[in-house]
Amino acid sequence: MILDEIVKIIEKSFNEAGYKESIKVKKSNRLDLCDYQCDDSFRLSKIYKKSPIEIASDVVLKINSIDNFSEYFDKVDFVSPGFINIKLSDLFINSALNKMIMNDDFNIKKCLNLTYILDYGGANIAKPLHVGHLRTAIIGESIKRILNFKGCNTIADTHLGDYGLQIGEVIYGFLKDNMSLDDITIEYLDHIYPKMSNLCKNDDNVLKECALITKKLQEGNLEYQKIWKKICEVSIKDVKRLYDYLSVSFDLWQGESDAYPYIDDLTKILKEKNLLKESEGALVIDVKDINDTKEFPPLIFKKSNGAYLYGTTDLATIYSRLKYKPNYILYITDLRQSLHFEQVFRASRLAFDNFDINLKHLGYGTVNGSDGKPFRTRSGDA
């Protein structure tokens, strides 16, 4: 690996300069200036009672005097008050690439016995997919394939949005249209969702009615459950068709609804740990940290009207995934959900004993329309 070779050379130069310590080299935080950097002069200054300037200067002098310098580096220089900036030579980069090409495994380290759960896809039921949905599907699928190539165990879950407000809106529209279940087709869903979404924007009474339908659905209303199952059947069939076309595959086709059986047990755990607090009629989890430099909002676990939110189901989903004993759970969504996932991750660490799963949100940008704003299905023109 490139970094391993660079560390050996830099560490040897530290040792030859009289600093007999292990050192670290990291990717530069200023890639416009250099490829890698070493900041250990600051740490070693306390050990050797010398200034970081003196230590870094000594080491840079040693590095620049090695016989085969140009085989590895284009430039290594000292930057006050003690940074060592490292720019690799094209010769070294080409050599590393050639080694990768000649190796059956591309010289990639294997990560055997590590299990990753990947949460991507995440389509909302009853809403058509559009070009903006390509990113989570393709980025997630690519990461999964890279991990598989490295020898890791992967479990891909599309985690469908199948119990949110959009379902209540579609059910409301379906009932108003006075249609039969057989009339629910993908074409009908493509039409009714944008129509109902826009109506809810302009009519608070309709919005409240849709929210109530969503709540009753979540509570097990039989009539709404029957309509919901038909919506899911039609919508998931079309989502699978599109993902098959894109060669995107999942091990699990679960959604928000699959998290609901775990909410009662999760609530019990949270109550036992005194983590649920009442706030304006809602139940919240305080997830602020002592190191926060600004106010950090709590995770809303249960709304004042008794309904659950994404935070609840995402937390319950993590609880349900404990049975797989994953080392990592990766969430591939756009960056606008960063705060949400940080809230969920913090709540998980508070809620679950001996929690050592590495939770990561791998965020990306948005696919925008001509107005510069992200595509939205509800606008009807995506």
Side-chain angles (χ1 to χ4, degrees), residues 288-357:
K288 66 174 177 284
D289 186 86
I290 181 176
N291 296 315
D292 289 333
T293 56
K294 58 183 179 181
E295 192 63 30
F296 198 91
L299 174 78
I300 301 174
F301 185 78
K302 193 175 188 179
K303 291 174 70 176
S304 57
N305 68 357
Y308 294 112
L309 294 141
Y310 290 130
T312 318
T313 53
D314 279 342
L315 192 57
T317 299
I318 289 174
Y319 179 57
S320 75
R321 288 169 173 168
L322 296 178
K323 62 179 175 283
Y324 297 110
K325 298 181 179 177
N327 302 97
Y328 291 83
I329 303 179
L330 308 181
Y331 295 83
I332 298 95
T333 73
D334 78 56
L335 284 165
R336 290 174 295 173
Q337 296 190 46
S338 295
L339 174 61
H340 164 76
F341 282 113
E342 182 59 26
Q343 290 174 312
V344 172
F345 296 168
R346 291 187 182 192
S348 299
R349 296 180 191 111
L350 292 171
F352 308 128
D353 292 330
N354 304 314
F355 189 79
D356 60 355
I357 300 170

Side-chain angles (χ1 to χ4, degrees), residues 21 38 42 81 130 151 158 162 179 206 253 257 262 290 308 315 373:
E21 305 288 336
C38 176
F42 299 99
H130 58 68
T158 187
D162 62 353
M179 302 175 76
V206 173
W253 281 83
S257 59
Y262 297 90
I290 181 176
Y308 294 112
L315 192 57
K373 296 178 181 178

Side-chain angles (χ1 to χ4, degrees), residues 277-284 302-306:
K277 311 291 183 185
E278 190 170 328
S279 175
E280 299 179 11
L283 289 177
V284 304
K302 193 175 188 179
K303 291 174 70 176
S304 57
N305 68 357

Side-chain angles (χ1 to χ4, degrees), residues 116 128 150 231 235 250 259 316 339:
Y116 287 77
K150 291 181 69 174
I231 292 170
S235 192
F250 296 95
L339 174 61

